[in-house]
Amino acid sequence: MRAFDFKAPDSLDGVCALLAEYGSDAKLLAGGTGLLNLMKQELVQPAVLISLQHVPGLDGLAVDRTGIRVGAFVRHRRMETDPAVQRAQPLLAAAYGHVATVRIRMSATVGGGLAHADPAMDAPAVWKLLGATLHARSARGPRQIAAAQFFEDFYTTALEADEVLTQVSAPLPPAGSGWSYQKFLPRSADDYATVSVAALVALDGDGKVAQARVGIGSAAPIPVLADAVGAALVGELPTPQAIAAAAELARDAVDPLDDLRGSAAYKRDMAVVFTRRALAEAIARATRP
């Protein structure tokens, strides 16, 4: 690891001032579970490390009828175990509960995980599926970024060098929606997935699919929102045949790479398999209005 200066501002304004001064030479430190590993491998070599540890106002968590609002410094473990999140956004709670180990979840932060933009992580595809908005701040003022535009490439986001992610928000799913989070782990529980799939499905009064959304992780440079999969089910009775036909469209929605967790062809197959499983479970959990 290369030498660096360490700054620990005690206000958000202080963070923004430092980012304005140092720009791309600085990196923000929250939980450190991703950044410190990259620094140890000398894949990232900041001249200045700016800690968010002493910045107030970044650890808020609120759920009400308008949606969920999560401060960037909220830990993964809190997202997994908070009763309000479990009731209102069980898909989010489940995804965060699948992240690595409890030790990691006790340290890793929501904002850090999103800003890290590793497409193999669990939560980014879920936030994208939920239609989340990411809230950033710089010395120039606040900015809101739709999750659909936030992730740009491997470890690359729409955040500018002088911006800090402060909060992520999302609307609540339709009443009675069914959900599922499926993660295919080829090795140990703390490994990245070969593929992960999140599904959210709402039914109408006739039992037909009124809304279906599918997010896929570990299968492209960015989290995938498989719009064609959901669109194929809307207006249909969710029979096993309809679910299987829709899930097959996941094959063309992903763009995986060969790696230690499987070949690209294998990952495409698994995207179909786990999309089918996620849709079936989400539909089984859904209730008619």
Side-chain angles (χ1 to χ4, degrees):
M1 188 182 295
R2 306 288 180 89
F4 56 86
D5 289 337
F6 183 80
K7 308 287 186 181
D10 58 5
S11 70
L12 190 55
D13 286 341
V15 172
C16 293
L18 288 168
L19 289 173
E21 179 179 357
Y22 293 104
S24 60
D25 288 331
K27 288 292 182 183
L28 294 168
L29 177 65
T33 56
L35 176 61
L36 294 181
N37 284 332
L38 294 179
M39 291 175 63
K40 289 175 183 177
Q41 298 172 61
E42 297 192 356
L43 297 173
V44 174
Q45 300 175 24
V48 179
L49 209 55
I50 303 171
S51 172
L52 300 178
Q53 183 70 42
H54 302 296
V55 178
L58 296 180
D59 60 351
L61 174 57
V63 181
D64 57 30
R65 62 184 182 181
T66 67
I68 183 171
R69 296 173 298 283
V70 183
F73 212 76
V74 171
R75 309 288 180 172
H76 286 23
R77 181 65 171 167
R78 187 176 173 194
M79 293 294 294
E80 173 192 3
T81 61
D82 185 274
V85 178
Q86 291 175 339
R87 286 192 302 270
Q89 290 281 15
L91 178 55
L92 269 177
Y96 278 106
H98 277 82
V99 175
T101 63
V102 171
R103 181 180 65 82
I104 294 296
R105 297 196 294 274
M106 290 290 289
S107 298
T109 63
V110 170
L114 292 170
H116 189 52
D118 185 339
M121 295 183 73
D122 296 270
V126 178
W127 284 111
K128 195 169 181 177
L129 176 155
L130 293 173
T133 299
L134 293 99
H135 304 256
R137 172 87 177 274
S138 71
R140 295 174 284 113
R143 184 164 73 104
Q144 296 184 4
I145 310 164
Q149 281 78 52
F150 185 76
F151 304 100
E152 296 184 339
D153 206 340
F154 288 107
Y155 304 103
T156 305
T157 73
L159 284 173
E160 300 291 345
D162 64 343
E163 288 183 316
V164 55
L165 185 62
T166 60
Q167 181 180 265
V168 56
S169 61
L172 298 184
S177 295
W179 61 274
S180 177
Y181 185 73
Q182 300 280 332
K183 183 176 183 179
F184 175 34
L185 287 165
R187 298 186 291 187
S188 64
D190 60 347
D191 192 15
Y192 283 137
T194 295
V195 66
S196 62
V197 180
L200 190 68
V201 178
L203 303 178
D204 64 20
D206 296 322
K208 295 181 179 180
V209 176
Q211 182 184 114
R213 307 196 83 191
V214 173
I216 305 176
S218 295
I222 63 173
V224 171
L225 186 59
D227 292 322
V229 174
L233 280 174
V234 172
E236 301 291 331
L237 286 171
T239 63
Q241 294 78 13
I243 293 170
E248 188 63 36
L249 299 176
R251 189 181 306 277
D252 293 328
V254 298
D255 185 21
L257 297 175
D258 297 332
D259 62 22
L260 295 174
R261 297 171 189 88
S263 68
Y266 181 66
K267 291 179 181 180
R268 288 184 190 278
D269 289 342
M270 291 303 99
V272 172
V273 169
F274 281 84
T275 296
R276 184 173 67 247
R277 293 180 184 179
L279 286 170
E281 184 173 58
I283 289 165
R285 283 183 168 140
T287 58
R288 299 185 189 186

